[in-house]
Amino acid sequence: MKENNQYPRKKRVILDAALRDMFLNGYDAATIHSVARAMRVNFSEVADYFDSDDFLRISAVHYAAQVWCIQVKNELNLIEDQKEKFSKLVFMFVNGAQNYSHSLRLYVSIWEKLNEKIITDVRVKMLLNKTYNLYQELFYSLFTEWYKADTTYKEKKISSLAWTMVVISDGVFIQQLLNQDKTQIKEIGRIMYEMSLAYIKSEGF
């Protein structure tokens, strides 16, 4: 995974190891012990950063979201045309259901455990919420930058559009679990782009 320099190197190595374990073996597979074994370090070296297995796991999920947001910005910076940028952004949100299905499966596991009260660490719910806010803030910030939007006047409308993209991404993933037709992803992306353009035009952006 690409580096996220917001974290010390050792912490990034721990989080990458936890993610690999979860991607290969499921959400519960990553533990302080399993990560320490994979890194060939003492348990305490991982526990110094993360004091519980659940906090390690959700921290890794949040870290992966941060890396994805950085990757999206870097890819979009290579595109000059505004409409092409926006089209790419919409498709990246929709295609997340296909290209990052292993990550989204982790979210399903977290939702299930929170709903069944298997996870009791309050930091998990807080950091999951913070993770979803990352996606919303990414869309919001890029949209306002490209369209020079008056965020004071239309903040709620832009925020609602951003949250719609986040929700659609999750919804597409759930649909992919039931229907493996990849052509649907491309068509959903096209429809979302056209609907977004119509909404932008109707709101005078």
Side-chain angles (χ1 to χ4, degrees):
M1 181 167 285
K2 295 181 180 179
E3 288 192 356
N4 181 345
N5 292 324
Q6 296 178 41
Y7 294 84
R9 183 180 181 281
K10 187 172 183 180
K11 192 172 184 179
R12 293 198 304 267
V13 172
I14 292 172
L15 293 169
D16 281 330
L19 283 170
R20 281 195 298 273
D21 211 350
M22 288 191 287
F23 291 162
L24 290 173
N25 304 306
Y27 179 79
D28 290 324
T31 65
I32 297 172
H33 283 286
S34 72
V35 169
R37 281 197 304 272
M39 294 176 61
R40 297 182 180 178
V41 299
N42 292 329
F43 172 89
S44 60
E45 292 188 49
V46 179
D48 282 345
Y49 286 100
F50 307 100
D51 58 10
S52 75
D53 294 334
D54 280 324
F55 187 53
L56 168 64
R57 294 164 187 149
I58 191 62
S59 296
V61 169
H62 183 70
Y63 166 72
Q66 289 178 306
V67 171
W68 184 79
C69 289
I70 292 170
Q71 179 185 334
V72 168
K73 286 184 177 180
N74 289 340
E75 288 189 31
L76 293 174
N77 282 337
L78 301 175
I79 303 172
E80 293 185 4
D81 182 74
Q82 180 176 293
K83 280 192 174 182
E84 188 180 346
K85 278 179 182 280
F86 186 64
S87 173
K88 177 76 171 177
L89 178 62
V90 171
F91 274 89
M92 289 179 91
F93 267 81
V94 173
N95 283 333
Q98 180 177 330
N99 295 338
Y100 299 93
S101 61
H102 51 310
S103 293
L104 288 166
R105 287 179 188 276
L106 299 181
Y107 289 91
V108 172
S109 295
I110 299 168
W111 296 333
E112 181 182 13
K113 292 176 184 300
L114 284 171
N115 185 57
E116 295 179 0
K117 302 190 185 327
I118 296 172
I119 295 177
T120 57
D121 189 336
V122 295
R123 294 172 299 178
V124 173
K125 189 172 184 178
M126 290 174 60
L127 204 47
L128 181 62
N129 183 58
K130 191 175 179 181
T131 301
Y132 272 99
N133 282 332
L134 270 179
Y135 298 132
Q136 187 270 347
E137 288 164 6
L138 170 68
F139 192 98
Y140 182 96
S141 63
L142 291 174
F143 184 92
T144 53
E145 176 188 340
W146 298 339
Y147 286 87
K148 310 298 181 188
D150 182 347
T151 55
T152 302
Y153 176 60
K154 295 185 176 178
E155 180 177 359
K156 288 185 178 180
K157 293 183 182 297
I158 303 169
S159 181
S160 294
L161 179 60
W163 276 118
T164 298
M165 290 300 166
V166 175
V167 171
I168 288 294
S169 181
D170 281 351
V172 172
F173 169 66
I174 298 300
Q175 182 60 31
Q176 281 289 291
L177 293 177
L178 303 173
N179 186 343
Q180 298 299 315
D181 184 0
K182 293 183 179 181
T183 60
Q184 283 192 339
I185 296 289
K186 184 179 291 187
E187 184 63 11
I188 291 170
R190 185 191 68 78
I191 292 171
M192 285 307 303
Y193 174 63
E194 295 295 338
M195 288 175 63
S196 298
L197 284 183
Y199 179 76
I200 290 169
K201 184 177 181 180
S202 70
E203 293 298 331
F205 288 110

